[in-house]
Amino acid sequence: RVPVLTPRLAVLPFKPLLPDAGDEVLQLGMADTLITKLSTNRHVVVRSLSAVRRFDGADQDALAAGQSLGVDLVLEGHIQRQGDRVRINARLLAVPGGATLWTDSFDAGFNDVFAMQDAIAQRVVSALSLKLDREERRRMENNYTRNIEAYQWYLQGRYHLQNATPPELAAAAEVFQRALKLDPDYALAYVGVAESYRRQAMISDADPQIVLPLAKTAALHALKIDDTLAEAYVPLGFVRFWYDWDWLGAEAAFKRGIELQPGIVDLHFGYAALLSNLDRNDEALRESQRARELEPT
């Protein structure tokens, strides 16, 4: 057990079990999925994928990464896929010191990867004695799709999205759409589409009059499927802010997302930017400070 009031956790990109048989998309995607699951709990601060991604080296020391990220705990793992089988070794370490709080191995068909992810997330929750209410548990156990092929396209889209160059963002939007063709009710894939288009408006030559309405449509579609999906309020809030100039609507989106999942840094960052533009600077500073607490790197 870890005697900290609000533990701070980093889920590092997984490493290959065999150095010459890596799968960067799967390795990063496993961490991404676990970050999403564990972030639903209000009693733990989980570093975002963008914060941990730089620690994806095969020789990366987990404790050094944890100290750099300013966390109390590090979840690290190794993964290997061979055909339709996947093997995962995972362990939870205390920072500093390196005490192992738990370690386990999982070996199953790739179709069972959702069950393995749920098991790892539950082991972390148990190790930290975290209390989940019914809604937090529902969100943690929600995989948003049962279609394993759609999930693989989703992981590919998240990989492109994190690379954050104009060609990669265009590729991300296309790949998320492939996931949606396989599962039209995949709410997280709609969020991926929305984020792909939203970011294109800022870092590429894409026409905001084209991509931002597309981002808004995708975000609203995600929320139509699941209005408790906090991630969808990020692109919705930004589009209402940047494009619609709908200050009340943008504030409502950011506040609703924060109410659902206060650990998403982009919600606080977006809300801070909106408040600053509205000359509500004391509130903006508070939101900025909260964003920095969540993401000090």
Side-chain angles (χ1 to χ4, degrees):
R1 306 300 185 200
V2 178
V4 290
L5 201 58
T6 304
R8 298 162 297 176
L9 169 68
V11 182
L12 300 182
F14 277 39
K15 301 173 184 177
L17 278 169
L18 301 175
D20 58 347
D23 183 337
E24 192 174 356
V25 172
L26 182 58
Q27 291 157 204
L28 191 69
M30 182 62 64
D32 187 21
T33 300
L34 290 169
I35 289 168
T36 298
K37 285 181 172 294
L38 292 165
S39 295
T40 61
N41 191 296
R42 296 169 180 269
H43 305 295
V44 61
V45 174
V46 185
R47 293 288 183 255
S48 69
L49 184 65
S50 60
V52 302
R53 182 168 185 182
R54 60 194 172 102
F55 301 103
D56 62 353
D59 58 350
Q60 174 64 56
D61 178 79
L63 293 181
Q67 290 174 334
S68 178
L69 290 162
V71 296
D72 308 294
L73 305 136
V74 169
L75 177 63
E76 69 163 356
H78 292 77
I79 188 168
Q80 196 71 45
R81 182 178 182 183
Q82 292 183 317
D84 63 349
R85 303 291 297 180
V86 63
R87 180 176 177 81
I88 298 172
N89 296 337
R91 63 175 181 162
L92 183 68
L93 304 174
V95 180
T100 299
L101 303 183
W102 69 260
T103 183
D104 208 343
S105 296
F106 306 84
D107 192 343
F110 192 76
N111 286 341
D112 295 322
V113 69
F114 298 138
M116 288 189 280
Q117 292 165 345
D118 288 341
I120 293 170
Q122 184 55 57
R123 290 294 299 273
V124 173
V125 167
S126 297
L128 302 183
S129 300
L130 300 177
K131 302 297 184 182
L132 276 68
D133 61 29
R134 181 178 298 178
E135 182 59 22
E136 287 173 330
R137 185 167 296 281
R138 181 193 71 81
R139 291 207 298 269
M140 188 182 80
E141 295 175 351
N142 190 348
N143 295 304
Y144 296 97
T145 187
R146 295 182 179 180
N147 188 311
I148 197 68
E149 187 178 353
Y151 174 68
Q152 291 178 84
W153 282 120
Y154 173 78
L155 293 186
Q156 187 76 48
R158 288 288 295 174
Y159 179 80
H160 289 306
L161 189 65
Q162 288 297 315
N163 287 335
T165 64
E168 292 278 353
L169 292 178
E174 178 183 346
V175 170
F176 285 128
Q177 293 283 7
R178 292 183 188 180
L180 288 167
K181 286 181 181 178
L182 293 166
D183 183 354
D185 293 323
Y186 198 171
L188 274 179
Y190 278 110
V191 175
V193 171
E195 279 293 279
S196 302
Y197 286 131
R198 175 181 80 87
R199 298 182 193 191
Q200 284 184 51
M202 296 301 291
I203 67 169
S204 76
D205 292 329
D207 186 346
Q209 295 184 81
I210 296 175
V211 293
L212 288 181
L214 289 172
K216 182 178 180 181
T217 297
L220 289 172
H221 207 122
L223 291 169
K224 184 178 179 181
I225 296 168
D226 182 357
D227 65 0
T228 68
L229 186 56
E231 292 92 334
Y233 290 98
V234 174
L236 181 60
F238 275 111
V239 175
R240 285 177 173 174
F241 173 22
W242 290 341
Y243 186 73
D244 294 337
W245 292 10
D246 176 6
W247 320 131
L248 291 177
E251 181 170 13
F254 289 133
K255 289 179 71 173
R256 176 57 175 157
I258 291 168
E259 176 189 8
L260 287 166
Q261 202 164 314
I264 297 179
V265 66
D266 281 349
L267 289 168
H268 296 278
F269 167 69
Y271 191 24
L274 173 68
L275 291 167
S276 178
N277 276 260
L278 296 178
D279 200 26
R280 292 162 59 183
N281 293 306
D282 289 343
E283 295 171 82
L285 281 169
R286 283 196 293 272
E287 289 299 322
S288 295
Q289 288 162 354
R290 178 57 179 152
R292 290 193 63 192
E293 290 168 3
L294 291 169
E295 205 70 279
T297 59

